[in-house]
Amino acid sequence: MEFELDSMMGFDKLDLYFEAHMAGIDGECFHYSVYFEEGYSDAKLKETETVIEEFAASFDEETYPGYMDVSKNDDKVNIYLDLGNTDPEESDNIIKGILTTLNKVSGIKCVIVNEGCGFDL
């Protein structure tokens, strides 16, 4: 049985300039692997950190958007999202919100969510 995670998560309905795919499921944690057209650079890491910090700050004080961390991982930027202690009704907005926020970062080739977390049935 093959799952269409991109469709199930609504990634195919987002207006993104880059490709975005969901490779697997890892509970309440999401790992966004961000690949760039020109490869990794410290400038792209900083640009990504800035938009993710702005995204996290955009929630009101009563809505916790989860724990987010941006780091370098080999040839890509990694965004870690832990939805623990978030309002379950906000989860979808947060997961997809990170992708739409990344539209502000230039030169992204693709984003793979939970890369390496695939499963076989």
Side-chain angles (χ1 to χ4, degrees), residues 25 27 29 31 52 54 56 58 79-81 89 97 105 111 120:
I25 298 172
C29 296
H31 308 268
I52 294 301
E54 289 170 357
S58 72
I79 301 166
Y80 174 73
L81 168 65
E89 293 179 11
V105 178
V111 177
D120 297 319

Side-chain angles (χ1 to χ4, degrees), residues 91-103:
S91 296
D92 193 52
N93 293 333
I94 297 166
I95 295 163
K96 289 189 241 178
I98 287 176
L99 290 172
T100 57
T101 292
L102 288 174
N103 261 341

Side-chain angles (χ1 to χ4, degrees), residues 5-117:
L5 294 176
D6 294 350
S7 173
M8 289 170 59
M9 293 298 295
F11 289 4
D12 56 340
K13 304 258 190 288
L14 298 175
D15 186 23
L16 305 173
Y17 80 85
F18 52 85
E19 287 187 48
H21 301 288
M22 179 92 162
I25 298 172
D26 188 18
E28 63 188 25
C29 296
F30 294 80
H31 308 268
Y32 297 72
S33 298
V34 183
Y35 294 92
F36 294 91
E37 296 284 346
E38 303 295 321
Y40 170 85
S41 73
D42 289 340
K44 290 299 173 193
L45 173 63
K46 183 64 179 159
E47 190 177 351
T48 304
E49 285 177 322
T50 299
V51 299
I52 294 301
E53 287 171 2
E54 289 170 357
F55 173 70
S58 72
F59 289 85
D60 63 41
E61 59 190 45
E62 295 177 16
T63 305
Y64 175 60
Y67 172 77
M68 296 178 207
D69 182 61
V70 179
S71 62
K72 177 186 187 285
N73 187 352
D74 296 325
D75 60 340
K76 62 190 172 221
V77 170
N78 185 64
I79 301 166
Y80 174 73
L81 168 65
D82 184 343
L83 290 173
N85 297 319
T86 61
D87 180 349
E89 293 179 11
E90 289 294 324
S91 296
D92 193 52
N93 293 333
I94 297 166
I95 295 163
K96 289 189 241 178
I98 287 176
L99 290 172
T100 57
T101 292
L102 288 174
N103 261 341
K104 298 175 187 173
V105 178
S106 62
I108 295 176
K109 179 179 179 180
C110 70
V111 177
I112 310 295
V113 180
N114 291 341
E115 186 173 32
C117 295

